[in-house]
Amino acid sequence: MTRMPTFAACLLALCLPLAAAAPRTLRVVGDNNYPPYLFIGPDGKPQGYAVDAWKLWEKKTGIKVELTATSWADAQHRLQSRQADVIDMIFRTPERAARLDFTRPFATVETAIYADRELTGIADASGLRGFVVGVQRGDACVERLHRAGVSSTRAYTSYADIIGAARSGDIRIFCMDRSPAEYYLYRLHAQDEFVKAFDFYGDRFRRGVRKGDAATLALVEQGMAKITPQERQQLQDKWMGQRVDLTGYASIFKTAASVLALVGIVLLAWIYSLRRAVRKRTRDLRFLAHYDPLTRLPNRHLLLDRINHALAQPGIALSVLLVNLDNFKRINDRFGHPLADQLLQQVAERLKALADPIDTVARLGGDDFVLTLRSSDVSQVTALAEQARQAIAAVLVLEGEEVFLSASVGASLYPHDGENGVVLLKNADTAMSRAKQSGRNIISFYRASLSAQASHFVTMGASIRRAMQRGEFELFYQPQHCLRSSRMQGVEALLRWRRDGELVLPAEFIPCAEELGLIEELGEWVMKTACRQLADWRARGAPALRMAVNLSARQLTSPGLVSAVESALAQARLPGDLLELEITESALVGSEAEISATLEAIRALGVRIAIDDFGTGYSSLAYLRHLPVTVIKIDKSFLDGAPEDPAAAEVIGAIVAMGHALNLTVVAEGVESAPQAAFLEEIGCDLAQGWFYSRAVAPEQIAKAL
Ligand code: C2E
Ligand code: MG
Ligand code: MG
């Protein structure tokens, strides 16, 4: 601390005559129950902001301070009765201003109205009317309450007394400065019993001297002015509680917050990626549970599921084909696993391309593949097995090297070879092993007898292919005669296979050609050859002759049919109406919209459409109205027994009548006798064809007959 230099003190004495009267001791009084400014501590001594402030003042001025902490009323009395020079912590009120002079304010204090917790609805001074308000004796609050129109007050010596009175129910409302109120309510454990009803007013603490005591006032002010801002801050911090310096903490807090946020984000990202990974893994697991990861084909589990699901449908036909690659171990050893895996993937793709969408291609593991087929027809199963074997046999390229594979197939048919998926698979496997034993690269059925049939079928397929390449097929022609004029009006082209000098009839090879997918090519050849033949006969003087060509069901659904017909006509320069395409009723069963569109397109070329073997295949005749049919050929079976059997005659007569009613040309097939021909003529049938007129003959004979 700085001691005032002597000359400065003299100067002060000269300048301020009042200072000359400076007392040795300054007597200060204050309220003894006004924490944190002045109150009696646990040791019974006064303490608080005022005690320390006056100690500082003492040091700054060198004048001793005698601070008396007493009741507020007593403090004011002491000042007035000249027992004290200064009163501390006092509000300036109009009433007090008449008796006292005041220093500048040094603190702002708020005064509030407190009320019993049970009392509600007291929001301002007007709400206090009718209540007795407890006050500290001599408090400025009394004056304020009076001014606010509250006249009923009860004065107590100390704040603690007020709270005691409120607790005992003497009063229910009291007025108190906020800081002592908070202090005492807390210390007396009364904070839950009372609530602050409202902030009454705010005022500023000053120090007061008796009116006219300017010297003391100046002395007090000058001394206080010497207290530095830092010292004042320290006082403040000590008694009012330090303002928390957040600058240090703030940065720590900010850093912590950012770190936390970052950790949060990382955590969220982690959780998100974890969840994604879990979802993906779940998907993978679900996939792995049902699919083979290498080829993405269904695995054994899903295969059995599908088979058993299919078998649950009534009347289902099903076969299971187990396809195993021959000598796959050698491939594995030679190329290593990664390349062998690629090869398995290629095989899987090829097999997938073969299967109908409703059937399943699965991989059981290793080089075991399974195909299911909704049929238990030996020829169809064999055909699929053949297609599979050929697909696998087509050259594969591995690392620039051509690889030739072959496969053995075992087949089991439901229900004969097994009532459920597991048994069907097991028996297909047994059959496959048998195929391996008999020299690989073949198909074997679980039932040995079927294998013989299949092997005949397979051999037949290979022979047909060879025959097509070698040109072993020929067309024979059977004349169709007009029943009224007996003249040959047309011919039907019938396919023959000249095998080893022998003529093989279509019934022997057409089903096989159909199943093995050879019929399109063969059929196209028939159509072209027949058209060319007709053009040749026309050129030789038979302009009105018509050509009938048989179409198989498979050709009818082949996408290239219409253009094949068109080009056959174009190549032979034939008008469309000289060509007649024969289809059986059974070929019409199925996707009728598609077939109808094809027939319409063919009909649009002028080509006639005949229903072959009429009356044998279809249960409904409605198609006759919907489809662009022009001819019906009554099946030979209707003619058996006619004309002697009246029933047979009746039926034929009815068919002819119906055909005519629908504006169709009616042809009778398989006419073998003169009475038959006579009967047909009699009932008005248009054309007849059969051995009675001529068998199917080589083209030269037709030319001769013409
Ligand atoms: P389809 O079209 O009903 O042919 C009539 C069949 O009856 C022919 O047998 C014919 O030789 C035979 N036939 C004709 N007149 C008589 C007769 O008076 N009595 C008896 N018992 N039979 C007679 P084919 O030539 O063996 O043909 C059988 C079937 O093969 C044909 O029946 C036809 O559906 C089919 N077919 C023949 N050629 C072809 C062809 O080029 N393509 C297709 N997809 N099928 C053909
Ligand atoms: Mg025919
Ligand atoms: Mg026929």
Side-chain angles (χ1 to χ4, degrees), residues 492-494 549-550 582 612-613 633 669 689:
E492 177 180 3
L494 294 162
V549 170
N550 292 284
E582 297 189 2
D612 204 352
D613 307 341
K633 294 183 77 176
E669 280 190 288
Q689 170 185 352

Side-chain angles (χ1 to χ4, degrees), residues 142-460:
V142 183
E143 217 181 311
R144 288 277 190 155
L145 283 168
H146 279 291
R147 265 191 273 149
V150 181
S151 49
S152 180
T153 56
R154 189 168 299 158
Y156 295 88
T157 312
S158 68
Y159 286 140
D161 287 352
I162 297 178
I163 291 170
R167 280 180 125 174
S168 66
D170 271 1
I171 47 168
R172 303 188 72 190
I173 291 175
F174 51 89
C175 176
M176 214 181 263
D177 292 350
R178 270 184 66 183
S179 34
E182 275 157 26
Y183 178 84
Y184 283 112
L185 284 172
Y186 181 76
R187 235 187 71 179
L188 300 170
H189 307 294
Q191 73 268 37
D192 291 336
E193 296 168 43
F194 302 96
V195 292
K196 190 178 86 181
F198 60 91
D199 285 316
F200 191 19
Y201 62 91
D203 208 334
R204 289 176 301 173
F205 269 162
R206 299 162 193 268
R207 296 174 182 107
V209 298
R210 280 179 304 279
K211 189 95 194 154
D213 188 357
T216 307
L217 192 66
L219 195 64
V220 169
E221 288 278 46
Q222 283 160 15
M224 288 297 174
K226 283 178 187 153
I227 296 175
T228 64
Q230 288 91 328
E231 288 166 332
R232 200 165 292 130
Q233 189 60 52
Q234 278 169 9
L235 278 183
Q236 187 85 16
D237 290 349
K238 181 176 173 187
W239 293 106
M240 278 71 182
Q242 283 187 25
R243 254 183 45 245
V244 184
D245 178 13
L246 283 176
T247 49
Y249 290 110
S251 67
I252 292 172
F253 179 76
K254 264 192 230 158
T255 316
S258 337
V259 168
L260 263 170
L262 202 77
V263 168
I265 290 168
V266 169
L267 217 78
L268 278 175
W270 185 62
I271 289 170
Y272 177 73
S273 72
L274 220 86
R275 286 180 62 170
R276 266 182 58 152
V278 166
R279 261 204 304 270
K280 187 183 173 298
R281 190 88 189 101
T282 312
R283 260 202 319 270
D284 288 354
L285 282 175
R286 222 176 275 152
F287 183 81
L288 282 178
H290 296 105
Y291 290 87
D292 163 41
L294 177 67
T295 58
R296 309 188 79 79
L297 290 177
N299 62 14
R300 174 189 290 268
H301 182 78
L302 183 56
L303 171 71
L304 285 173
D305 211 49
R306 290 201 184 160
I307 292 176
N308 292 333
H309 182 77
L311 295 186
Q313 295 164 37
I316 182 95
L318 191 93
S319 43
V320 173
L321 288 80
L322 201 145
V323 181
N324 181 273
L325 304 183
D326 295 331
N327 302 315
F328 186 66
K329 193 180 162 332
R330 275 226 296 274
I331 305 254
N332 238 335
D333 294 345
R334 165 107 196 277
F335 292 95
H337 282 275
L339 283 182
D341 278 357
Q342 273 184 33
L343 192 134
L344 288 173
Q345 285 169 336
Q346 292 190 44
V347 168
E349 286 308 313
R350 290 178 179 191
L351 292 181
K352 245 194 288 185
L354 295 179
D356 202 271
I358 59 162
D359 291 318
T360 300
V361 183
R363 180 177 175 236
L364 301 184
D367 58 339
D368 274 333
F369 294 88
V370 171
L371 294 163
T372 65
L373 180 68
R374 301 249 168 158
S375 161
S376 47
D377 178 87
V378 178
S379 59
Q380 284 181 5
V381 175
T382 310
L384 179 62
E386 274 306 288
Q387 285 173 355
R389 292 196 326 103
Q390 277 159 27
I392 290 169
V395 65
L396 277 160
V397 179
L398 264 196
E399 281 209 320
E401 200 176 317
E402 292 190 336
V403 182
F404 294 93
L405 285 176
S406 67
S408 301
V409 182
S412 59
L413 313 186
Y414 171 83
H416 196 283
D417 302 340
E419 291 275 307
N420 62 54
V422 174
V423 179
L424 285 169
L425 258 186
K426 191 181 103 240
N427 291 343
D429 192 62
T430 307
M432 192 273 293
S433 304
R434 220 181 293 136
K436 295 261 181 209
Q437 281 159 21
S438 33
R440 304 172 199 270
N441 197 18
I442 60 162
I443 170 167
S444 178
F445 279 80
Y446 181 63
R447 261 175 296 163
S449 58
L450 299 185
S451 294
Q453 222 175 304
S455 103
H456 166 76
F457 195 86
V458 171
T459 322
M460 176 67 85

